[in-house]
Amino acid sequence: MTGAAGSLDPLDSAGAPGSAGSLGAAGPLGAAEVWERLLGVRSEADAVAAGLLRMGEDSSEARREGPSQAWREGPSGARPAGSSEARLLVERYLPLCLAGPYVTFAQLGQSLDGFIATRTGDADYVTGEEDRDHLHRLRALADAVVVGAGTAVSDDPQLTVRTCPGTNPVRVVIDPRGRVPLDCRVFTDGSAPTLWVVGARREDGQAVPGRVGDGVEVLTLPDREAFAPRALVRTLALRGLGRVLVEGGGVTVSRFLHERALHRLYVTVAPVLLGDGVPGIRFDGPDVMRDALRPPVRRSTVGEDTLFELDLGASVVGVDVAGAVVERGLGGTGVERDPGGPVVERGASGG
């Protein structure tokens, strides 16, 4: 088949244009190589160069549904997929990569009846090992991973990338009252840069220490408004942390969702019933069903669990020609920073 102008044709099993069956002269792409290429994708041009998106393919459709025609001979000499695992990686993560360098997304794992932990706080583990691998891949695709103080205290998480290749994101602990103990792993293990976002006073009335340890930066915000989700996203973007994963807990994810600060939400549901416990998504809902939030959704299996990926309809943050960062969110308003400094890539902010 002959593609439209500007498109790239697939290869048939004999190596001629017309079918996606050829493995290419250099052999097929394996899952490991596919993942390495996905880590470098921040735009459609990146995806085409990596051989993960056909030139001329409807990119908006690819963002929503995943690229059904992903394996195309690209300008970089990319090769087609060689396994179902490689194809799955593209289908699941390329839409997120194509969201660009400014996107806020969240993840929760919960029981069928909507709890992320038992009533005693035990969450090891609600979902299965495959979902934990999915979470680590989301971390690897993020510049920053955000948790609230409650999660930092109860779970003492590492928030690092351990089950797949990838750079550790900057760990961001949102702690307005300064209640997270200084011996938590995010402050002591030195595994990744950590940003402790606090108010001026701890809950015991003492001043928050200005220095915690190597690799930990303390950011003091002036007031309650500065802790609002959109304000926090803007603060992180100005530090070069544009791709933000909100990992927990349920209260923090719910705040970001309810205040329309999320572009995507991943919810993994395990086939288990807890009866009661720590709830996942909770916010003041509508009075009638017709006003409920019903975003576009993709479903897939993750081991024995079911993964729901919700597209919440917000556009990404872009950089205009004047150098101002603009967030065009669900509300249709823009948030800008003064032009002057360039947007810094991950790892250059020191946070």
Side-chain angles (χ1 to χ4, degrees):
M1 140 172 62
T2 302
S7 66
L8 296 170
D9 291 323
L11 300 176
D12 65 18
S13 58
S19 168
S22 173
L23 298 182
L29 287 173
E33 187 172 359
V34 164
W35 179 246
E36 289 293 341
R37 294 188 182 202
L38 283 167
L39 289 173
V41 172
R42 291 293 183 271
S43 67
E44 295 166 21
D46 292 339
V48 172
L52 304 179
L53 187 69
R54 178 176 60 178
M55 289 180 63
E57 185 174 350
D58 185 340
S59 59
S60 61
E61 183 71 15
R63 287 194 187 97
R64 290 194 305 272
E65 304 296 340
S68 59
Q69 304 293 334
W71 302 107
R72 295 293 185 256
E73 185 71 19
S76 63
R79 307 184 299 280
S83 69
S84 58
E85 182 183 0
R87 291 179 181 271
L88 176 63
L89 288 173
V90 174
E91 292 289 335
R92 181 167 292 162
Y93 299 108
L94 184 57
L96 177 61
C97 295
L98 289 176
Y102 293 91
V103 58
T104 305
F105 51 106
Q107 187 274 347
L108 282 178
Q110 66 178 42
S111 64
L112 276 171
D113 45 355
F115 297 105
I116 61 175
T118 69
R119 59 187 175 187
T120 64
D122 179 26
D124 295 336
Y125 291 99
V126 177
T127 56
E129 182 178 349
E130 294 86 351
D131 184 53
R132 293 194 291 280
D133 179 69
H134 165 63
L135 172 60
H136 282 248
R137 292 189 186 277
L138 291 181
R139 289 176 183 170
L141 293 173
D143 298 325
V145 55
V146 172
V147 295
T151 294
V153 171
S154 62
D155 295 351
D156 193 16
Q158 293 175 266
L159 304 177
T160 53
V161 179
R162 302 187 299 280
T163 71
C164 65
T167 302
N168 290 328
V170 174
R171 305 179 292 193
V172 181
V173 181
I174 306 301
D175 188 11
R177 295 181 293 168
R179 62 190 180 98
V180 178
L182 298 183
D183 59 356
C184 280
R185 287 190 289 187
V186 292
F187 296 149
T188 61
D189 65 11
S191 298
T194 299
L195 184 65
W196 188 20
V197 184
V198 297
R201 290 279 174 184
R202 299 169 65 110
E203 63 180 358
D204 59 8
Q206 301 297 312
V208 174
R211 180 174 175 80
V212 176
D214 292 339
V216 180
E217 180 182 355
V218 179
L219 174 63
T220 302
L221 298 183
D223 50 39
R224 182 185 181 90
E225 288 72 25
F227 283 92
R230 285 188 173 275
L232 289 169
V233 169
R234 175 172 36 174
T235 296
L236 296 178
L238 295 181
R239 290 171 163 263
L241 306 174
R243 298 175 63 87
V244 177
L245 167 61
V246 183
E247 188 171 316
V251 171
T252 300
V253 172
S254 295
R255 283 188 61 215
F256 273 74
L257 175 62
H258 186 50
E259 297 187 25
R260 304 161 73 92
L262 291 178
H263 298 76
R264 289 179 183 271
L265 173 63
Y266 296 86
V267 179
T268 305
V269 180
V272 62
L273 296 170
L274 294 180
D276 68 356
V278 179
I281 301 296
R282 293 291 186 275
F283 56 81
D284 293 334
D287 293 328
V288 293
M289 283 299 300
R290 65 172 177 269
D291 293 333
L293 181 62
R294 297 180 185 271
V297 63
R298 295 200 300 165
R299 300 173 186 84
S300 60
T301 57
V302 183
E304 294 185 350
D305 307 325
T306 302
L307 172 62
F308 295 84
E309 177 187 350
L310 285 68
D311 181 351
L312 297 170
S315 62
V316 299
V317 179
V319 181
D320 68 18
V321 294
V325 175
V326 182
E327 181 177 1
R328 299 176 182 88
L330 286 171
T333 59
V335 179
E336 300 187 6
R337 74 169 171 90
D338 293 335
V343 175
V344 183
E345 295 296 333
R346 183 200 313 186
S349 68

